[in-house]
Amino acid sequence: MACDNLFAASVYSDGYQKMGGSLVDQIDEGMSKEVQEFIVNVGWTHKIQAIQASKYQFWAGFIEGLQIIASGITASGLIGMIFVENRTIKIGTAFVACISFIASNLLKTWNPRRLEKVSRQAAVEHWNLQHRALHLLQMINRKSILPNEAELALKSLVADRSAANDHVVNAWQRSVSLARNKLKAGRDNDYTDDIPYFIPKYLRRDND
């Protein structure tokens, strides 16, 4: 691995000299901005789809539970009607049977379980794209990849994003708002306060 890194650095240095240092720096800066925009784009999609999947999971569980309860009450009402002649029981049983029918049809037509699965798949795919792009950005900033190689890598990411977008489902506005709040209020990529608990002082850069 060390030899590979040295070889990559050597190749970049040769290419840097051949193309002209200032020109390469300009290309790197432009490419860096493109990759950063790509990261933000797929990052948003990942967050929104993950929250949307949780919403589908909740409603699937709620409707399934409602159907089970309604089916049980309907069955009990039908049995009760055999032994007791009561108008209230008949009306109540018919009403609950309608709820069970509606819940059953919602699960079949709307199919929140399928939508949950699709949303989760989209979230995972965009999470992978985000981390691949972060790795590419790191290589660009460290000047360990040539501009033409970085451009090819970005084109590959864009093509994979297009394929991943086929699995993206329309998100509710509530999910978008929750994603925005979580991203701005959360600390997904900020480990500043946690570093001292995991890394000894003598291994940290800010070991003053």
Side-chain angles (χ1 to χ4, degrees):
M1 180 62 71
C3 291
D4 292 340
N5 291 336
L6 287 172
F7 177 74
S10 175
V11 169
Y12 187 91
S13 177
D14 292 341
Y16 187 88
Q17 291 173 1
K18 289 177 181 177
M19 293 182 65
S22 60
L23 175 60
V24 174
D25 288 338
Q26 290 175 13
I27 295 172
D28 282 352
E29 184 178 355
M31 186 66 63
S32 177
K33 288 181 180 178
E34 286 189 58
V35 176
Q36 288 179 57
E37 290 175 0
F38 180 91
I39 291 169
V40 172
N41 180 278
V42 295
W44 269 111
T45 305
H46 156 70
K47 196 64 137 180
I48 292 170
Q49 289 297 305
I51 291 175
Q52 187 63 46
S54 298
K55 294 289 183 184
Y56 285 132
Q57 182 183 31
F58 168 80
W59 282 108
F62 177 81
I63 296 171
E64 287 168 355
L66 182 64
Q67 182 190 28
I68 292 170
I69 293 171
S71 297
I73 294 174
T74 301
S76 299
L78 291 172
I79 293 172
M81 288 166 57
I82 296 174
F83 300 100
V84 179
E85 184 66 29
N86 187 297
R87 189 167 181 270
T88 303
I89 293 177
K90 290 181 179 180
I91 294 173
T93 300
F95 177 75
V96 176
C98 286
I99 293 175
S100 178
F101 176 78
I102 292 170
S104 177
N105 276 274
L106 272 175
L107 291 173
K108 290 178 181 178
T109 56
W110 185 34
N111 201 346
R113 286 296 181 196
R114 183 189 67 81
L115 292 172
E116 176 199 352
K117 182 179 179 180
V118 173
S119 292
R120 289 201 187 283
Q121 181 180 353
V124 170
E125 288 176 345
H126 283 79
W127 185 87
N128 290 333
L129 287 169
Q130 181 182 354
H131 282 263
R132 283 171 57 192
L134 283 168
H135 178 66
L136 175 60
L137 181 62
Q138 185 181 48
M139 293 176 70
I140 292 171
N141 290 342
R142 290 181 176 178
K143 300 187 185 303
S144 59
I145 185 172
L146 290 171
N148 61 327
E149 294 175 347
E151 185 178 0
L152 288 173
L154 180 57
K155 285 182 178 179
S156 175
L157 284 168
V158 171
D160 290 344
R161 179 181 60 184
S162 296
N165 283 342
D166 291 339
H167 301 138
V168 172
V169 298
N170 291 329
W172 303 339
Q173 186 57 44
R174 176 62 177 163
S175 299
V176 177
S177 298
L178 281 173
R180 182 182 297 110
N181 293 336
K182 286 193 173 187
L183 278 170
K184 292 183 177 180
R187 295 174 57 250
D188 289 354
N189 297 304
D190 182 7
Y191 303 111
T192 306
D193 296 336
D194 303 323
I195 286 174
Y197 298 105
F198 293 91
I199 302 175
K201 187 175 181 180
Y202 70 91
L203 289 177
R204 303 198 301 267
R205 286 187 176 182
D206 55 340
N207 57 3
D208 296 335

